[in-house]
């Protein structure tokens, strides 16, 4: 698309990808030849640092599936991952230049296509970037797409997104994405573990989300979650916990239309608001 880039997501800067090379549906080719030795080295070092701290912090389903990404020493070829992913759950990853607008994003998910950014952060951004890069998208999101129940949840979320767009409820629904797919915690064998991609791709937030006494941790509840605003530039102040991916799937199977109606006119919760009375919007 030859137009000026629009701001996607909640950042106030334009996205940094090259959108001119994208097709109508925002997908493009992974330009694998263009990666430099330094790019591959950045991926390798991020992979090593993050995989070393998974035991005891990450969901077992994630740990088990991680090797299916293939190459660790270099940025994998997406086609290589797709050969295994298609066979496992019928999902595939598609390349995008960066964040894309809501409706095309939902459309891809509804068709079992997960958009993965192909560029990688610069070495000086090793610990933190605002926009998702290939390390966040691949390492954080793709392993759980090998899990059949989680994979179905993400597709249903895409369909739900298209419906939310028709109902003007994208903001509410996107909070569910944020607090599950990006920053979700799960209880496994009585212990807390992370399954959200934003946590799993972050060296600092992984131990923080599971162990720190600071944040609030609540059981996932649809209305509460969809009322809770979030911060994109700091560790989360609230995490929502599920008991299993099946529970997450079952919980979200219901028709959200009455939920969106119920949410209208209800005050939002600030990112760190505690239950039951701190609505956050009216803090003096
Ligand atoms: N069941 C939801 C609806 O009717 C769609 C949805 C599914 C939303 C899974 C999120 C996750 O809108
Ligand atoms: Co993400």
């Amino acid at each position: 698309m030859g137009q000026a880039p629009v701001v996607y997501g909640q950042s106030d800067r334009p996205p940094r990808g090259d959108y001119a090379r994208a097709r109508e549906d925002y997908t493009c080719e992974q330009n694998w030849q263009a990666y430099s030795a330094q790019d591959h080295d950045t991926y390798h070092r991020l992979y090593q640092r993050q995989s070393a701290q998974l035991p005891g912090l990450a969901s077992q389903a994630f740990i088990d599936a991680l090797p299916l990404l293939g190459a660790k020493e270099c940025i994998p070829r997406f086609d290589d991952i797709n050969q295994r992913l298609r066979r496992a759950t019928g999902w595939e990853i598609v390349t995008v230049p960066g964040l894309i607008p809501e409706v095309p994003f939902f459309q891809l998910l509804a068709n079992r296509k997960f958009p993965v950014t192909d560029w990688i952060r610069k070495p000086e951004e090793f610990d933190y970037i605002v926009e998702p890069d290939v390390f966040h998208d691949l390492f954080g999101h793709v392993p759980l797409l090998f899990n059949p129940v989680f994979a179905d949840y993400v597709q249903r979320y895409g369909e739900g997104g298209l419906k939310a767009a028709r109902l003007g409820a994208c903001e509410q629904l996107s909070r569910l994405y944020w607090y599950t797919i990006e920053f979700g915690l799960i209880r496994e064998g009585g212990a807390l573990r992370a399954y959200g991609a934003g946590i799993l791709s972050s060296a600092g937030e992984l131990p923080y989300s599971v162990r720190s006494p600071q944040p609030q941790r609540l059981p996932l509840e649809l209305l509460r979650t969809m009322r809770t605003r979030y911060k994109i530039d700091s560790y989360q102040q609230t995490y929502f916990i599920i008991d299993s991916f099946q529970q997450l799937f079952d919980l979200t199977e219901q028709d959200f239309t009455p939920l969106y109606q119920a949410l209208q006119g209800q005050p939002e919760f600030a990112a760190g608001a505690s239950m039951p009375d701190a609505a956050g919007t009216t803090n003096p």
Side-chain angles (χ1 to χ4, degrees):
M1 285 141 304
Q3 311 125 345
V6 192
V7 178
Y8 310 128
Q10 295 191 359
S11 176
D12 46 12
R13 297 173 300 105
R16 84 189 209 192
D18 171 19
Y19 288 79
R21 67 195 173 108
R23 308 174 188 103
E24 260 326 273
D25 67 353
Y26 286 89
T27 66
C28 57
E29 295 301 314
Q30 182 191 19
N31 194 357
W32 198 85
Q33 305 301 336
Y35 295 128
S36 66
Q38 186 183 68
D39 292 337
H40 289 305
D41 179 62
T42 299
Y43 184 87
H44 184 204
R45 290 186 299 120
L46 286 164
Y47 191 111
Q48 274 184 316
R49 174 172 73 171
Q50 212 55 6
S51 55
Q53 62 163 342
L54 297 176
L57 294 174
S59 157
Q60 196 57 45
F62 180 87
I63 293 176
D64 292 344
L66 185 62
L68 296 168
L69 290 186
K72 321 173 174 167
E73 297 81 14
C74 64
I75 300 168
R77 292 177 190 267
F78 298 169
D79 289 343
D80 174 55
I81 294 174
N82 277 338
Q83 294 194 2
R84 292 182 290 276
L85 187 55
R86 278 196 205 100
R87 234 179 298 135
T89 56
W91 271 81
E92 57 184 282
I93 55 181
V94 292
T95 311
V96 287
L99 290 169
I100 66 173
E102 274 161 343
V103 169
F105 178 67
F106 295 144
Q107 219 127 35
L108 290 173
L109 297 186
N111 288 296
R112 292 176 101 81
K113 293 181 201 296
F114 196 86
V116 175
T117 302
D118 64 349
W119 55 263
I120 192 152
R121 68 195 73 182
K122 301 194 181 79
E124 58 269 27
E125 300 165 299
F126 196 71
D127 290 318
Y128 187 76
I129 44 157
V130 181
E131 277 175 78
D133 71 342
V134 64
F135 181 73
H136 165 81
D137 281 344
L138 265 192
F139 187 98
H141 286 285
V142 176
L144 282 182
L145 294 175
F146 283 90
N147 179 284
V149 179
F150 189 84
D152 284 350
Y153 170 70
V154 182
Q155 176 184 12
R156 292 289 193 91
Y157 177 87
E159 293 166 357
L162 293 171
K163 175 167 140 188
R166 292 193 296 271
L167 297 172
C170 285
E171 195 177 343
Q172 284 68 32
L173 185 67
S174 68
R175 293 179 183 145
L176 187 63
Y177 186 94
W178 187 263
Y179 285 117
T180 60
I181 293 169
E182 290 293 354
F183 290 95
L185 295 180
I186 185 168
R187 208 167 307 272
E188 284 182 354
L192 213 52
R193 297 286 185 264
Y195 73 90
I199 302 176
L200 291 162
S201 63
S202 161
E205 191 152 2
L206 180 52
Y208 171 88
S209 67
V210 174
R211 297 208 182 116
S212 167
Q214 260 172 268
Q216 159 173 244
R217 299 180 186 83
L218 304 172
L220 183 74
E221 199 255 299
L222 293 179
L223 286 175
R224 164 75 206 210
T225 303
M226 290 198 282
R227 282 174 68 185
T228 306
R229 292 194 300 267
Y230 54 81
K231 296 269 172 68
I232 64 159
D233 55 0
S234 66
Y235 294 165
Q236 299 306 303
Q237 294 171 285
T238 302
Y239 297 95
F240 292 93
I241 306 169
I242 60 170
D243 294 318
S244 64
F245 296 136
Q246 191 64 51
Q247 182 221 6
L248 177 60
F249 184 88
D250 293 345
L251 189 67
T252 50
E253 245 196 334
Q254 60 184 284
D255 180 5
F256 278 26
T257 310
L259 300 184
Y260 296 142
Q261 273 158 6
L263 286 168
Q264 277 185 359
Q266 283 192 9
E268 297 178 332
F269 291 105
S274 58
M275 284 293 245
D277 54 340
T281 46
T282 53
N283 277 351

